[in-house]
Amino acid sequence: MGEILSKKTLIIIPAYNEEGSVARVIENIRRYVPEADILVVNDGSRDRTAREARESGAMVMTLPYNMGIGSAVQSGFLFAKEKGYHFAVQVDGDGQHPPSEITKLLSALDNGVDLAIGSRFVQQTEYRPTLTRSLGIKIFSFLVSLIVGKKIYDTTSGFRAASRKAVLLLTETYPHDYPEV
Amino acid sequence: MEIAIHLRVLIGVLCFALVGIIIELIRQNRLKEHYAIIWLCTALSIFIFGIWPDSLNLISRIVQLHHLTTLFLVSFIFLLAIVLHFTLVISQLFDRNRRLTQEVAWLRFEMEQLRQPDND
């Protein structure tokens, strides 16, 4: 019944000095999920990020200084909470996340999941992390899987979708320093 | 344990100086009363050790250490507690600062929207 369409979705793009790529990211997202609102959280950028984002038609919320990715994303969640969005999707401003996959995350939320993470490892991709990074990803994946009692493949991915319930929780408590764990 | 009389006088003077500085800082509105309590307690404990050094001996006997080592141990634990306390305070300040900044960003966004209603 077009459930996804009837629900309000906010795409949150945390961006710090992403001029030259943020506009392309916005365009791509609009192509794949035209019904979603796009919010660029300008994390104290000193370049033309905010301007380019605004010219691309996205809403821009500017933080007065560079607060870090964690606080920037949380600001987006705060926005989603205040404006009554049902779903919030986090997409990085540098274009590393394929917008074509957003609908997959959203349909997971539509099936009653509260947090859907776009993993780099469930399917074969070209992504090859460095050895130390790979080790870190495995450790956190193992720990988080152990704690929640469910296999989480990629806990450190910054490509994720949250239901309203998750958004409300994340506006209350969200790590500042290592938000991707 | 014997402490020379001039050392005791020195400790006493130090304590009173510390209390004086704290009161003056509060008076000038540079120190919150909340933290003044810590420092007044510090002055008080130094004062107690000064006029009643046997309290230190008592602790030394309980932990079975030389009284000088005990003194270091007590000071070290005390400093650790203070540092921990400060870290807690800083963390809380950080959280509040973050929330404030986010609220400001949100308010500014809303304000811009109100100013240009035709701007989607």
Side-chain angles (χ1 to χ4, degrees):
Chain A
M1 293 279 285
E3 269 291 293
I4 301 179
L5 289 174
S6 68
K7 288 183 175 169
K8 277 175 78 184
T9 301
L10 181 71
I11 312 282
I12 301 166
I13 307 175
Y16 176 54
N17 294 342
E18 298 283 10
E19 70 175 5
S21 73
V22 74
R24 190 167 38 82
V25 172
I26 293 167
E27 275 163 36
N28 279 333
I29 291 174
R30 188 154 289 140
R31 186 175 313 147
Y32 288 103
V33 263
E35 71 281 3
D37 290 341
I38 302 174
L39 172 75
V40 171
V41 182
N42 172 26
D43 192 6
S45 300
R46 261 174 274 157
D47 60 2
R48 293 162 45 86
T49 301
R51 194 166 173 179
E52 286 182 8
R54 213 171 274 125
E55 280 166 6
S56 305
M59 298 181 284
V60 178
M61 184 162 73
T62 295
L63 302 176
Y65 58 91
N66 182 253
M67 296 179 77
I69 173 92
S71 299
V73 171
Q74 195 188 36
S75 307
F77 286 142
L78 215 61
F79 186 100
K81 176 187 165 188
E82 297 286 341
K83 292 275 191 187
Y85 284 96
H86 297 98
F87 300 142
V89 187
Q90 173 192 348
V91 181
D92 278 358
D94 58 1
Q96 62 166 302
H97 300 139
S100 52
E101 304 283 297
I102 291 175
T103 42
K104 285 191 197 166
L105 295 181
L106 287 175
S107 61
L109 293 186
D110 228 29
N111 291 330
V113 174
D114 282 315
L115 187 69
I117 305 173
S119 171
R120 296 161 287 188
F121 307 116
V122 172
Q123 287 171 14
Q124 282 292 316
T125 58
E126 286 155 34
Y127 179 68
R128 291 282 171 276
T130 57
L131 188 67
T132 46
R133 187 172 269 233
S134 168
L135 191 69
I137 290 169
K138 285 205 175 96
I139 290 172
F140 285 125
S141 175
F142 174 74
L143 284 177
V144 175
S145 300
L146 201 68
I147 293 168
V148 302
K150 206 170 200 171
K151 184 74 186 143
I152 312 288
Y153 292 95
D154 193 359
T155 56
T156 56
S157 166
F159 186 33
R160 46 184 116 180
S163 72
R164 178 143 187 93
K165 192 174 147 199
V167 165
L168 293 181
L169 175 70
L170 292 171
T171 52
E172 289 307 315
T173 165
Y174 199 77
H176 165 78
D177 298 316
Y178 308 106
E180 319 281 48
V181 175
Chain B
M1 184 171 68
E2 280 306 307
I3 293 188
I5 190 74
H6 63 268
L7 193 57
R8 289 197 187 192
V9 170
L10 185 70
I11 291 172
V13 169
L14 272 177
C15 291
F16 280 108
L18 188 58
V19 172
I21 290 170
I22 291 160
I23 289 173
E24 182 59 17
L25 283 174
I26 296 173
R27 203 184 63 75
Q28 291 176 4
N29 237 340
R30 285 164 65 192
L31 181 69
K32 288 264 159 289
E33 290 83 347
H34 176 72
Y35 303 108
I37 293 169
I38 299 174
W39 293 113
L40 290 175
C41 289
T42 311
L44 187 70
S45 26
I46 297 173
F47 195 68
I48 289 173
F49 281 135
I51 59 167
W52 184 39
D54 280 336
S55 60
L56 202 60
N57 278 347
L58 198 70
I59 303 172
S60 305
R61 228 169 294 136
I62 294 169
V63 294
Q64 299 193 337
L65 286 172
H66 191 261
H67 59 264
L68 209 58
T69 321
T70 313
L71 189 63
F72 272 108
L73 193 70
V74 169
S75 328
F76 185 70
I77 291 172
F78 175 74
L79 288 176
L80 264 188
I82 282 198
V83 170
L84 178 65
H85 174 75
F86 284 163
T87 332
L88 290 176
V89 172
I90 292 172
S91 304
Q92 195 192 35
L93 283 178
F94 179 87
D95 276 347
R96 290 181 178 177
N97 179 284
R98 168 162 82 163
R99 182 44 54 103
L100 265 180
T101 313
Q102 289 173 333
E103 294 275 336
V104 166
W106 160 252
L107 287 174
R108 199 160 82 172
F109 176 84
E110 287 288 272
M111 201 184 69
E112 282 166 8
Q113 295 286 301
L114 284 174
R115 205 176 275 167
Q116 321 161 280
D118 54 329
N119 191 354
D120 198 18

